[in-house]
Amino acid sequence: MDRQSVILAEAQRFGRVTVDRLAQDLQVSAHTIRRDINALCEQSKLRRLHGGAEFIEGSANLPYGARTILNEVTKQKIAFAAAQLIPDGSTIALSIGTTPALVATCLAQKESITLVTNNLNAAMAISENSGNRVILPGGELRLPDRDFVNQAALDMFSAYRVDFGIYGVGGIDYDGSLLDFHEEEVLIRQAISSNSRQSILVADRSKFGRRAAAIGGHLREPDHVIIDSQPGPDFAALFSMAEYPFQIVGEPS
């Protein structure tokens, strides 16, 4: 992942970044970091602060290509763990996002899977096995994410009762609220959850504390929450509650 994408991801997650910390983490000079921050400020993605920069709030997520390689190894671990819960012959509703798409790649090894999805990347991954069945909505494909976030997608998920609903999330707030970048994404995620016999939330650690404006759902609602590692002390209260069915794939059980 290029440096500017890493800087932008960190700023979006924490709200602000400092030159000294980024230089240390990325093992480059402070001058190099300042140059990257200046470039991001010129693109109106960051706003300069003394000693660093802050994320400019908006409705846009990071570009899909940048998200694909952000925390890629941990997302693959999460995807593998989620796929282990799915037996052959299952009907699955699967959401947009890079981690759900990786789950679909793992599910391509299963037999007789029916996938209901608005994620074209996931549809293409699972179609590698011709014994599987794929159901997609119609309408305009959202680019560059290659997904459908529209009324047709909402209607499709509302029309199917599935064995498993697998979904990602834009962010997880400190009180356990689930966040996304658009209201339509929240409505579609909730439709997947409501019409699933078992629901599975897949989220890497970076989603905890990540800012997104649209709210809907809570961390206590999924039947399974698969993450790569426990987030920082701000979330200690959530992880001390037995009601949350966490599976942490990056730590020993």
Side-chain angles (χ1 to χ4, degrees), residues 2 27 43 48 55 68 82 97 134 146 164 174 178 193 201 210 215 221 229 234-236 243:
D2 66 89
Q27 298 184 334
Q43 300 169 41
R48 286 286 298 174
F55 182 72
T68 300
V134 179
R146 296 188 290 272
F164 297 91
Y174 296 103
L178 303 183
S193 180
L201 171 61
R210 189 177 182 211
I215 185 171
E221 296 171 356
S229 62
D234 290 336
F235 290 91
E243 64 181 299

Side-chain angles (χ1 to χ4, degrees), residues 77 227-230 246-253:
K77 291 181 180 179
I227 62 175
D228 56 304
S229 62
Q230 185 168 327
F246 291 115
Q247 179 180 345
I248 304 176
V249 298
E251 300 177 357
S253 57

Side-chain angles (χ1 to χ4, degrees), residues 90-116:
S90 297
T91 301
I92 302 158
L94 191 140
S95 78
I96 63 172
T98 56
T99 307
L102 288 171
V103 176
T105 300
C106 296
L107 290 174
Q109 310 303 316
K110 304 284 184 177
E111 297 297 331
S112 302
I113 294 293
T114 296
L115 184 70
V116 182

